[in-house]
Amino acid sequence: MGETMLRFTLLGPVQMVVDGAPLTGIAPRHRAVLAYLLLNAGRVISIERLIDAMWGYDRPDTARSQIHASITAIRKVLRGAGAGHLLETRAGGYVAQPEPGQVDAQEFTELVAAGELREALDLWSGEALEDVHAHYVGGVRELWTDRRLSAYERLVEGELAAGRHGDLLDELAAQVTANPLREKLNGHLVLALHRAGRQADALAAARSYRTALADEQGLDPGHAFTELERAVLADDPALRLADATPVVPGPPRRSTFLPYDIPDFSGRAVELEQLGEHHGSAVVTIDGMAGVGKTTLAVHVAHRLATRYPDGRLFIDLHAHTAGREPIDAAAALEALLRQLGVPADRIPVTLVERSALWRAELADRRVLAVLDNALDAEHVRPLLPGHSDTLLLVTSRRRLIDLDGAHALSVDVLGDEDAARLFERIVGERAHHEPDAVREVLRLCGHLPLAIRISAARLQHRPRWTVSYLAGRLRDHRRLLDGVSAAFALSYEQLHEAEQRMFRLLGLAPGRDIDAYGAAALAGISEDEAEELLEGLLDAHMLLQLEPGRYTFHDLLREHARSIAEDDGAVMRLLVYYLHRSRAAMDRLFPHSVSQREGIPQPAAPIAPIRDAAEAIAWLDAERSNIIATAVHGPEICLGLLALTMRPYLDQQAHHDDALTLHTLALQRSRKLGDREVQARALTDLAWTYWRRGEYERAEEHAHQALDGCEEDHERARALLTLGNVALRRRQDTQAEQYLKQALDLTRIGADTWAEAHVLGLLALVLDRAGRPEEARRHLDLALALHRKVGNPAGEAVTLNHLGVVLRHQGELAQARARHEQAAALYRELGNTADEAAALNGLAEAADDPARAVEEHTAALALADLTRNRPEQARAHDGLARAHLALGHSEQAGAHGRLALGLYGELGVPEAEEVRTFLEHAGQSARQEHKALAQEPR
């Protein structure tokens, strides 16, 4: 026999690999101890240091004995591999002495030092220490992630210098998406895009980084990045490669997004054989009950077949059965999949039909494997089906997708006796061999459901004094109350202490998809420190998941179990009240000029954790928005009017108009039940404004008139009139618009409402400008600008500057107009207001004296309008692009954009539709004349 090849992997799942095969059955705690010793190879590590590394200050009473047990278990495994000498006992503790090349982390360090960066990066198979949990893991993982990224940045730097920018783009874009605040990485992407001749994309990437850095950390980019951005903008020759020698392209980068393939996968031989028969193009549906292992099977098969599909291994969770979360619609899923394939954002169209067509086109010449996990039904995935291509699609669902034409269906049942026993034994280890009858009883009580088996086996694995019979007895006692998987959940629940049990039950009541320690504290009526401790305990017990730092969520089945045993003691009401007060604190940071509008909200009974600055406010709101809306929808009908009032400016500025409609509609319904005319009027004006923002002018008009009919308060009447003025202005009903706006102006002045007065003045100026009264319009805008600055309203200032740009353009002062639009765009970027930045960029393009520049700026505006589904600005951008392309002699592109503009204007019901229709007729005549002239030219 040859010598045994032994290797330890830390740069991904922690594994001990013997002759190329990972050893299974090593407990997670043992792997955590082994990993710590290997990371400190050659150094003596004391027991106290090991205890601190495993648990920190929260060490259990059995910590010392658990460390001894782990060392014993590790030695046993090492001896079995003929490597018992690798772990030695010294006077001060233990020392790991691996041989050169046995630890991937050590090899990575050596390869990086030698400059062999690609080989070093290829050692990684996931996150460092991916599947172990211990106190030390977070810091170590962060350190090694930084080392990995630093090595990748060095690699990219060399590739760029060698002229391989084209080969890098897809991989580099994916890395930037995963690490959006990494400055050097963003700089490399900007430079690669610029060298690929994509200056607009390069500048867009730079802007995205600036925005992300400002939003997340309140910082500006460093000097080097700023200089690079300036050089790209100026098309500085210094950015070009000194040596233009053609470069031989490297091998294509593979897009691999498959999740981790668990090492203890067991059974499913028949299913694996059936799935392995598929070569090339196929759609395979995998259906079965929750917890039966559909996703595990699909991911395992995908890894086994990966080499057959070299052009991409993709994965997306469609969330059809994720509690508290709406399924991802087909359009959003297609966007994610196209991005995984490396399609740039600017190439991804807006509509579902266009995205589906692009998806099929991208797959046409590729061999790709894609896993569509957790689908709702056949209609959910039909737009995601490939056309004629060598693509394998694996679709998992709790439903049988019998009406998905041409698909191969595979129904997955619970595990058979042998497969279930093998799974249990691989997790538990030797104890399972000594009690075969008790193992069969445990499997019966678990209903042979893989998820239930894993939970029960994991509990036994961490209880060295328990026998399998004892486990079966405990499961049997709960059999009278709970069946199948609930028995396993109930056993895990029983092992929690009383406070953890209460927290587990209450979390099941929370309507949102996840929660942080502050929200959990409110839910349970305890302090944040207590809540965090309980959440971490539930996380350690595998009763919760943590998909991102500081946020906790359930597996679907555990959520249902928690909900089934919970009784609401006012918990959801406490959570909703907490969301109200924390939202108010966030709004006061983001919108200090409108604090007075929220003064009527009662102060919280208990202190709310402070929000330090605007960056923290926007981060919290972005994280909690969907949870706040879900709690408002499914929670008690209290404080909905106050919550809608509080959330209004954020939802409007960030273009979350669907959520705004939901919240304001709830407030309206509740106020009508209570007969609260004040809240009812406010909800109607909020709905009117939101519908106007969405371009639904008839509904905006309808709700604004309802508000006027039932409203006596001057402020709300002025807001309703402002919306009606906006609608009339868009329809070019200028006389009516002026009447509405002058009435609104009188009301704002009577109520000394400076903020609203400034908004009305700005809009009235546009009416006056269109009526041929530009000087009067300028005076209105100057006053509006002064008032916005007086009350400290930068959003209003930006709107006014944008209006001023329009008026200046109409007067032929293009340079001054562009300056105002640029100021407006800068303010919108600073505020993170992408929807209205699109309006500023469209204005900038309309004031351009060069059609090529107009194309660039309208394109940038269109990208932002598409992102925020801002239909009026989408139409305006397409209209501008059509006219600019025609000026450049691009008649086909002019026609394409003109038709898109016509469709959008038609949906909006505005007069621009007729203008575009006339333009298209003229453009068509020009194109025909151009073709005729070309045909008559002598050949």
Side-chain angles (χ1 to χ4, degrees):
M1 292 180 61
E3 184 179 346
T4 299
M5 295 293 293
L6 178 63
R7 185 169 174 81
F8 303 93
T9 64
L10 306 179
L11 306 181
V14 174
Q15 293 179 331
M16 181 174 167
V17 181
V18 178
D19 292 334
L23 295 182
T24 58
I26 306 176
R29 177 63 68 198
H30 302 164
R31 281 186 280 123
V33 172
L34 174 62
Y36 189 79
L37 291 169
L38 290 170
L39 287 167
N40 294 276
R43 286 183 290 221
V44 177
I45 306 298
S46 67
I47 284 192
E48 278 303 309
R49 186 171 170 185
L50 280 170
I51 291 172
D52 184 68
M54 295 304 115
W55 294 283
Y57 293 109
D58 194 23
R59 60 184 64 188
D61 295 336
T62 58
R64 187 172 289 269
S65 62
Q66 287 194 50
I67 293 295
H68 283 303
S70 293
I71 294 294
T72 300
I74 292 168
R75 280 195 167 130
K76 183 176 180 181
V77 174
L78 288 172
R79 282 196 297 270
H85 61 282
L86 294 186
L87 180 57
E88 299 177 7
T89 302
R90 298 283 179 85
Y94 306 98
V95 60
Q97 301 276 26
E99 297 173 5
Q102 285 190 323
V103 182
D104 61 357
Q106 183 179 357
E107 186 180 359
F108 172 86
T109 302
E110 292 168 355
L111 286 169
V112 169
E116 298 176 16
L117 300 170
R118 178 61 72 183
E119 292 80 359
L121 290 165
D122 285 343
L123 294 172
W124 290 72
S125 59
E127 284 190 324
L129 313 182
E130 183 169 270
D131 56 346
V132 299
H133 302 280
H135 177 72
Y136 76 93
V137 167
V140 169
R141 184 175 292 148
E142 185 175 348
L143 172 67
W144 279 93
T145 298
D146 185 72
R147 290 177 179 175
R148 178 186 192 179
L149 288 171
S150 295
Y152 180 72
E153 286 165 349
R154 283 180 55 194
L155 173 69
V156 171
E157 197 166 348
E159 297 283 87
L160 287 171
R164 285 191 280 270
H165 43 267
D167 295 337
L168 284 171
L169 283 175
D170 289 352
E171 182 184 65
L172 194 49
Q175 289 288 347
V176 167
T177 300
N179 305 278
L181 301 183
R182 192 89 177 178
E183 183 153 306
K184 185 173 284 189
L185 209 54
N186 277 276
H188 287 337
L189 177 59
V190 170
L191 180 57
L193 287 166
H194 178 69
R195 286 186 176 168
R198 294 165 58 182
Q199 185 186 31
D201 290 342
L203 292 171
R207 281 198 302 273
S208 296
Y209 172 63
R210 277 187 174 276
T211 302
L213 190 63
D215 288 349
E216 294 292 325
Q217 298 181 355
L219 299 174
D220 290 324
H223 177 73
F225 188 92
T226 303
E227 285 300 302
L228 172 63
E229 190 177 16
R230 181 200 59 74
V232 170
L233 186 62
D235 195 17
D236 191 337
L239 294 182
R240 299 170 192 163
L241 287 170
D243 181 10
T245 303
V247 177
V248 178
R253 305 288 179 227
R254 295 174 176 178
S255 301
T256 301
F257 293 87
L258 296 177
Y260 173 57
D261 185 18
I262 58 173
D264 53 16
F265 182 92
S266 298
R268 304 291 188 202
V270 174
E271 292 91 339
L272 290 173
E273 183 178 356
Q274 291 180 25
L275 292 168
E277 292 172 356
H278 295 288
H279 295 264
S281 175
V283 177
V284 180
T285 64
I286 303 172
D287 61 75
M289 66 177 290
V292 79
K294 303 180 294 294
T295 302
T296 302
L297 174 61
V299 170
H300 185 70
V301 168
H303 280 279
R304 287 181 58 154
L305 303 181
T307 55
R308 300 182 189 174
Y309 301 91
D311 298 324
R313 301 82 179 252
L314 316 182
F315 179 92
I316 187 168
D317 186 350
L318 298 172
H319 290 294
H321 302 286
T322 303
R325 180 165 181 173
E326 290 297 313
I328 293 177
D329 62 46
L334 283 166
E335 179 179 11
L337 290 166
L338 287 165
R339 293 296 293 270
Q340 289 184 20
L341 275 179
V343 177
D346 62 336
R347 282 194 55 221
I348 299 176
V350 178
T351 68
L352 172 61
V353 173
E354 290 174 317
R355 287 182 179 180
S356 186
L358 179 60
W359 168 245
R360 292 191 296 272
E362 287 292 329
L363 294 178
D365 298 316
R366 306 193 200 206
R367 292 183 62 83
V368 172
L369 184 154
V371 178
L372 310 182
D373 189 36
N374 209 357
L376 180 63
D377 52 28
E379 292 304 315
H380 195 187
V381 297
R382 202 180 304 280
L384 281 62
L385 299 182
H388 181 70
S389 71
D390 288 330
T391 294
L392 173 61
L393 217 60
L394 301 177
V395 185
T396 73
S397 177
R398 292 186 187 179
R399 297 183 181 183
R400 289 185 173 90
L401 308 183
I402 54 177
D403 52 346
L404 201 60
D405 296 338
H408 304 274
L410 176 64
S411 293
V412 181
D413 203 349
V414 296
L415 292 172
D417 291 346
E418 291 184 8
D419 289 343
R422 189 175 299 113
L423 173 60
F424 186 85
E425 290 165 4
R426 295 185 76 168
I427 298 171
V428 171
E430 291 184 5
R431 275 184 291 173
H433 299 153
H434 302 318
E435 300 179 78
D437 292 337
V439 168
R440 282 191 288 272
E441 177 66 0
V442 168
L443 299 178
R444 185 184 69 80
L445 291 168
C446 289
H448 285 210
L449 192 66
L451 182 60
I453 295 170
R454 286 187 177 281
I455 293 174
S456 297
R459 177 61 60 186
L460 182 62
Q461 181 188 32
H462 290 284
R463 297 293 184 275
R465 297 188 181 277
W466 283 17
T467 62
V468 182
S469 298
Y470 183 73
L471 171 67
R474 295 176 71 85
L475 282 170
R476 198 178 300 113
D477 286 344
H478 287 270
R479 188 68 174 176
R480 291 170 295 178
L481 300 174
L482 300 161
D483 293 325
V485 68
S486 293
F489 293 162
L491 179 58
S492 296
Y493 172 80
E494 185 184 290
Q495 299 305 314
L496 306 174
H497 61 68
E498 186 176 347
E500 288 178 332
Q501 289 181 345
R502 177 172 179 263
M503 177 63 81
F504 176 78
R505 295 194 304 271
L506 294 180
L507 289 172
L509 296 171
R513 68 178 174 84
D514 63 3
I515 202 165
D516 65 4
Y518 296 115
L523 190 74
I526 58 179
S527 72
E528 288 83 4
D529 289 342
E530 289 178 276
E532 185 170 22
E533 184 178 349
L534 294 175
L535 291 168
E536 286 294 314
L538 292 169
L539 184 66
D540 289 341
H542 297 287
M543 300 295 277
L544 287 178
L545 303 172
Q546 190 170 67
L547 304 181
E548 54 185 289
R551 305 202 64 82
Y552 303 84
T553 189
F554 277 114
H555 183 280
D556 293 355
L557 294 179
L558 279 167
R559 187 190 302 276
E560 290 301 320
H561 179 68
R563 189 174 292 148
S564 72
I565 60 176
E567 293 183 7
D568 192 352
D569 62 355
V572 183
M573 181 177 68
R574 290 193 295 270
L575 180 62
L576 189 58
V577 170
Y578 157 76
Y579 282 144
L580 168 65
H581 292 301
R582 197 98 199 277
S583 298
R584 177 188 181 176
M587 296 302 160
D588 288 349
R589 286 291 185 191
L590 288 172
F591 306 98
H593 59 275
S594 60
V595 167
S596 61
Q597 296 178 15
R598 296 182 287 277
E599 287 177 349
I601 299 173
Q603 292 299 314
I608 295 293
I611 290 181
R612 293 184 295 273
D613 52 32
E616 183 180 350
I618 198 73
W620 183 82
L621 287 164
D622 288 345
E624 296 289 3
R625 172 175 54 86
S626 62
N627 296 327
I628 293 171
I629 300 301
T631 307
V633 171
H634 300 292
E637 294 184 346
I638 60 163
C639 66
L640 293 175
L642 295 176
L643 186 63
L645 169 65
T646 303
M647 293 288 289
R648 179 173 68 193
Y650 162 76
L651 295 176
D652 181 65
Q653 181 172 289
Q654 299 297 315
H656 298 306
H657 301 313
D658 291 345
D659 288 338
L661 289 180
T662 298
L663 194 53
H664 298 319
T665 300
L666 288 171
L668 179 62
Q669 293 168 349
R670 181 61 174 164
S671 64
R672 282 174 170 165
K673 281 184 184 179
L674 297 175
D676 189 332
R677 293 176 64 84
E678 180 183 348
V679 174
Q680 184 175 332
R682 188 170 64 233
L684 284 166
T685 53
D686 285 334
L687 284 167
W689 180 262
T690 304
Y691 280 123
W692 175 75
R693 294 278 276 169
R694 284 165 56 98
E696 298 182 41
Y697 300 135
E698 288 186 7
R699 303 192 75 174
E701 194 173 39
E702 173 191 344
H703 283 80
H705 280 302
Q706 287 182 36
L708 285 175
D709 291 343
C711 177
E712 299 175 0
E713 202 267 316
D714 287 345
H715 175 71
E716 293 304 330
R717 290 185 65 82
R719 290 180 63 224
L721 288 163
L722 176 63
T723 300
L724 289 170
N726 266 309
V727 172
L729 186 66
R730 287 294 287 115
R731 291 172 171 168
R732 297 188 183 170
Q733 298 165 346
D734 294 348
T735 302
Q736 196 173 31
E738 186 173 0
Q739 291 173 354
Y740 285 136
L741 293 172
K742 283 185 174 178
Q743 290 179 58
L745 186 61
D746 290 341
L747 290 172
T748 62
R749 286 173 170 168
I750 290 169
D753 190 345
T754 306
W755 184 85
E757 179 186 353
H759 275 289
V760 177
L761 283 167
L763 200 58
L764 190 54
L766 296 182
V767 178
L768 295 171
D769 176 59
R770 212 147 65 187
R773 296 148 66 184
E775 295 306 320
E776 197 175 345
R778 291 279 292 271
R779 287 196 297 273
H780 277 65
L781 288 169
D782 289 341
L783 178 55
L785 197 57
L787 292 176
H788 280 306
R789 287 170 175 167
K790 178 182 176 182
V791 298
N793 181 12
E797 185 180 342
V799 172
T800 307
L801 287 167
N802 217 24
H803 292 341
L804 189 54
V806 172
V807 172
L808 287 166
R809 175 170 60 84
H810 290 164
Q811 292 180 283
E813 299 180 36
L814 298 186
Q816 287 294 318
R818 286 182 62 81
R820 299 300 178 271
H821 287 307
E822 285 172 346
Q823 288 175 284
L827 273 172
Y828 283 134
R829 277 194 294 275
E830 187 178 333
L831 294 168
N833 188 342
T834 304
D836 291 325
E837 186 186 349
L841 293 177
N842 270 329
L844 194 63
E846 288 164 356
D849 56 3
D850 174 11
R853 178 182 287 180
V855 166
E856 181 181 335
E857 290 165 348
H858 276 309
T859 300
L862 181 60
L864 297 182
D866 287 345
L867 187 66
T868 55
R869 294 186 294 175
N870 186 338
R871 291 196 302 161
E873 294 305 325
Q874 286 175 322
R876 185 179 173 191
H878 281 302
D879 190 353
L881 283 166
R883 298 175 192 279
H885 276 300
L886 188 64
L888 291 169
H890 306 155
S891 55
E892 288 188 7
Q893 289 166 283
H897 284 290
R899 286 186 289 275
L900 290 169
L902 179 61
L904 286 163
Y905 283 140
E907 291 174 10
L908 294 169
V910 293
E912 286 90 340
E914 281 305 313
E915 294 176 1
V916 172
R917 189 173 284 110
T918 302
F919 166 83
L920 285 171
E921 291 173 2
H922 171 66
Q925 290 172 0
S926 298
R928 287 190 292 273
Q929 290 171 0
E930 181 182 322
H931 291 152
K932 184 177 180 180
L934 288 172
Q936 291 174 349
E937 285 183 3
R939 298 181 180 273

